[in-house]
Amino acid sequence: MTTPTLDEQVDQWRHYLGRRPGVAASDVDELTDHLLASVDDLATRGLSDDEAFLVAVKRLGAQDDLARAFATEHSDRLWKQLVVADPDAPTAGRPTGPAVMLAFALVAGLAIALPLQRTVNTPSADAWVWALVALLGVAAVLGAWFWWLRRPPVVTVVAATVGVLTIFTAAGVLYPFEQGGMTQALFLVHMPIAVWVVLGASYLGRDWRRVDRWMDYLRFSGELFIYYVLIALGGGVLVGLTAAIFGFVGIDVTLTLARWVVPVGAGGALIVSAWLVEAKKSVIENIAPVLTGVFTPLFTLVMLAFLAALALTGNPVEADRGLLIAVDLLLVVVLALVVFSVSARPADAPPRLQDWLSVALMVSALAVDAVVGFAIAGRIAEYGTSANKLAAVGENVVLAVALAVSAWRYVGFLRGRRPFVDVERWQAGYLSVIATWAAVVALAFPVVFAFA
Amino acid sequence: MLVGKDLVAASATPLVLGILAEGENYGYAILQRIAELSDGRLDWSEGMLYPLLHRLERQGQIEAFWSTDSGRRRKYYRLTTNGRAAIADHRAQWDAVVTALGRLTDSAPHPRTALGGLA
């Protein structure tokens, strides 16, 4: 091996310095000049390049101390800034900058706003169809955005996405739903879940067949949700203030806001959020796992308190469908908490406290589910079945199985019997079960229950 | 004998501004000038100089520009009008301190050597 040249040594030194927080690229340049000036100086005094470099580096002091001094002066740099145009971002060789993203966002916004114009002053039967078109339209634009980013080379992915969207549109338009009926509501709730999972294939592109990559889609979805909520909060403030200040000069803009600004914003924010998640992926720590860490113990405590209260007071469980839906929602939240704590966990890390907390969360959720299920089982049969009841029970089973197997595999991992990847695989693979169930409720239930 | 840390820190800004008043300059040369002016008794580190330069730049007392005249990309600093005005202020304050300490050493009965290095 040859000894590295001065340039190589300097490059390496620059590389390490540049990676320290608080040191900007221009600082690295400035300090490099300092280092080289020092090397030159020492070289004129008869030192070889090698020796001069060593002495100069030593004089400059430990990079740690240097970086700390910079960080103290530029504390703002420690707040990692989102570099909007990241040259290293992987793309399919297409422009994905803010301009293109905004174009997609505008189309997504119009996909919601245009159909909604048709719902104004029309009978509810038509309104339903246009609402559906808006929902599926924005899903199609999101799918197109994924396709634009990654260009899934597999025809099957594109065909499947287009096919699924077409089937749901056709079903929504052609099914003779009873307006405001149960099956219509079930369709509206479950269709987005199935579509969401299917869009994952476009998101993953080439890797859609690999189960472990679906964890990425879960991570993406969690962050997307958080960004969307944040943007929605900001949008709410914007809309409220706009209406207020225009109101003071006697101009009523509420109609314009409600018919155009809010729908366009709602659709556009989806693309903006999706873009933000990708743009900042490697820059800022993900937020979803942080929230998960905060809420996992809290939810566990709430459920344990609920079980304790039930046992101590002996109050009968007020068994009705509302309770079942509440428990279903609880299981959804618990599953989401577990999924995001799993998604943020390095698969090769040894068991740690957070893992035990996750297991405690799952076990207590399952206990609550069992108690409620036991109390409600008799009542369900008593009043016969309806589409809503069956859907709620089915959801409960789907979610409970997801949690039970997750918990089982998790315990296996904690006892050193299985690798952690098993937990991830199960959760990612289970997405297909969730999608299938959602599709069944949306597409088959209306037929079975005569569109009531 | 080295000057104490606190005093080095307190004298840092007037010293840097004063050196830049002699003409635009860059980090390495500024450090050398400080060593020269103080006969090596002011112990400055790079970790002190560069953040200080950046702070003064942010405060608008000096401005930076890049030049490649030396054959390398080098960041030079020069005084702004604000910085020039600040020097006068620093000098007045510094004179007040030196005067006070000087009077003290003249009238005080205890050994001059204790404060001799400061004046």
Side-chain angles (χ1 to χ4, degrees):
Chain A
M1 209 183 95
T2 55
T3 47
T5 65
L6 180 64
D7 283 348
E8 285 166 4
Q9 284 176 314
V10 170
D11 278 348
Q12 200 170 37
W13 181 83
R14 284 173 57 93
H15 176 69
Y16 285 118
L17 186 63
R19 279 179 17 186
R20 287 169 194 275
V23 181
S26 65
D27 299 339
V28 177
D29 284 350
E30 189 172 26
L31 288 169
T32 306
D33 175 53
H34 186 105
L35 181 77
L36 292 175
S38 182
V39 168
D40 287 351
D41 228 7
L42 291 162
T44 57
R45 287 182 221 168
L47 264 62
S48 72
D49 272 0
D50 238 17
E51 293 165 331
F53 177 78
L54 285 176
V55 175
V57 166
K58 185 88 182 162
R59 281 196 185 165
L60 205 44
Q63 286 195 349
D64 267 342
D65 301 334
L66 210 54
R68 201 171 303 129
F70 275 87
T72 316
E73 181 56 35
H74 301 279
S75 56
D76 54 323
R77 288 189 190 147
L78 299 180
W79 298 88
K80 294 191 184 168
Q81 297 302 324
L82 170 58
V83 183
V84 165
D86 181 5
D88 300 332
T91 61
R94 299 182 184 187
T96 55
V100 183
M101 179 274 291
L102 286 175
F104 269 89
L106 184 67
V107 175
L110 291 177
I112 290 192
L114 290 178
L116 280 192
Q117 306 311 313
R118 301 300 200 89
T119 66
V120 182
N121 306 326
T122 49
S124 64
D126 284 356
W128 146 260
V129 170
W130 289 114
L132 193 74
V133 168
L135 213 55
L136 286 161
V138 81
V141 178
L142 186 61
W145 171 245
F146 290 155
W147 178 78
W148 175 266
L149 282 187
R150 289 159 220 267
R151 209 189 316 203
V154 234
V155 185
T156 43
V157 169
V158 179
T161 313
V162 173
V164 167
L165 289 177
T166 315
I167 289 172
F168 277 114
T169 315
V173 173
L174 298 177
Y175 276 7
F177 283 115
E178 179 192 315
Q179 288 308 314
M182 272 186 215
T183 49
Q184 195 180 43
L186 286 174
F187 184 90
L188 213 52
V189 171
H190 288 84
M191 182 264 292
I193 298 174
V195 168
W196 164 64
V197 176
V198 170
L199 282 180
S202 302
Y203 174 82
L204 293 174
R206 205 181 296 274
D207 295 328
W208 72 281
R209 262 180 243 264
R210 290 177 47 192
V211 174
D212 48 329
R213 294 304 308 279
W214 281 83
M215 271 327 262
D216 286 340
Y217 187 55
L218 286 174
R219 291 184 185 101
F220 169 82
S221 304
E223 297 296 307
L224 177 83
F225 175 72
I226 289 165
Y227 269 85
Y228 193 85
V229 170
L230 292 177
I231 293 179
L233 283 175
V237 174
L238 179 77
V239 166
L241 285 178
T242 310
I245 58 168
F246 275 91
F248 280 119
V249 292
I251 304 169
D252 187 10
V253 288
T254 42
L255 203 63
T256 320
L257 287 173
R259 285 179 64 172
W260 287 102
V261 177
V262 173
V264 169
L270 192 65
I271 302 291
V272 175
S273 308
W275 181 79
L276 278 174
V277 174
E278 291 294 291
K280 61 109 229 180
K281 202 156 56 179
S282 55
V283 186
I284 306 168
E285 190 173 4
N286 292 334
I287 305 167
V290 178
L291 291 180
T292 310
V294 173
F295 283 105
T296 297
L298 293 180
F299 270 95
T300 313
L301 277 180
V302 167
M303 280 181 294
L304 292 179
F306 174 71
L307 288 174
L310 218 55
L312 290 177
T313 62
N315 286 356
V317 179
E318 204 180 297
D320 65 1
R321 207 189 62 226
L323 174 69
L324 197 55
I325 290 174
V327 171
D328 281 354
L329 287 177
L330 184 71
L331 293 186
V332 168
V333 172
V334 168
L335 191 61
L337 285 174
V338 173
V339 164
F340 287 113
S341 67
V342 163
S343 77
R345 191 186 187 290
D348 48 0
R352 48 189 182 182
L353 181 64
Q354 176 77 39
D355 296 322
W356 291 101
L357 288 175
S358 292
V359 172
L361 178 72
M362 287 186 276
V363 172
S364 53
L366 286 168
V368 169
D369 191 43
V371 170
V372 169
F374 186 71
I376 223 167
R379 308 289 299 272
I380 291 278
E382 224 170 275
Y383 293 113
T385 54
S386 72
N388 270 348
K389 236 178 257 173
L390 193 61
V393 171
E395 239 100 82
N396 201 286
V397 172
V398 168
L399 291 166
V401 169
L403 281 176
V405 178
S406 289
W408 177 253
R409 292 194 171 198
Y410 224 131
V411 170
F413 159 71
L414 289 175
R415 294 175 61 200
R417 299 275 171 83
R418 348 162 134 256
F420 188 73
V421 194
D422 275 12
V423 183
E424 286 191 0
R425 286 224 179 91
W426 165 255
Q427 298 195 335
Y430 204 70
L431 274 178
S432 59
V433 177
I434 291 174
T436 310
W437 169 253
V440 167
V441 174
L443 297 175
F445 273 38
V447 180
V448 173
F449 289 93
F451 306 104
Chain B
M1 185 232 40
L2 281 177
V3 175
K5 242 181 164 174
D6 290 347
L7 200 49
V8 169
S11 60
T13 305
L15 203 49
V16 167
L17 290 178
I19 288 170
L20 288 177
E22 300 172 345
E24 60 193 36
N25 218 331
Y26 60 97
Y28 185 73
I30 293 175
L31 277 187
Q32 285 196 315
R33 185 85 180 105
I34 290 171
E36 195 182 300
L37 287 168
S38 69
D39 300 323
R41 284 183 296 181
L42 285 175
D43 186 26
W44 273 58
S45 71
E46 289 77 1
M48 208 176 119
L49 174 69
Y50 288 102
L52 173 65
L53 286 170
H54 296 173
R55 188 187 319 151
L56 292 173
E57 186 189 351
R58 212 162 44 197
Q59 291 168 351
Q61 307 199 8
I62 61 177
E63 58 189 3
F65 60 96
W66 290 88
S67 157
T68 49
D69 291 348
S70 62
R72 266 203 299 272
R73 242 166 79 73
R74 179 166 279 170
K75 198 176 181 183
Y76 282 89
Y77 297 88
R78 66 176 160 232
L79 279 183
T80 62
T81 333
N82 277 343
R84 225 169 273 285
I87 289 182
D89 194 36
H90 278 296
R91 186 154 296 155
Q93 293 185 22
W94 203 248
D95 283 346
V97 174
V98 172
T99 310
L101 287 170
R103 282 179 189 154
L104 195 58
T105 42
D106 287 343
S107 60
H110 33 253
R112 289 164 159 261
T113 46
L115 285 160
L118 290 178

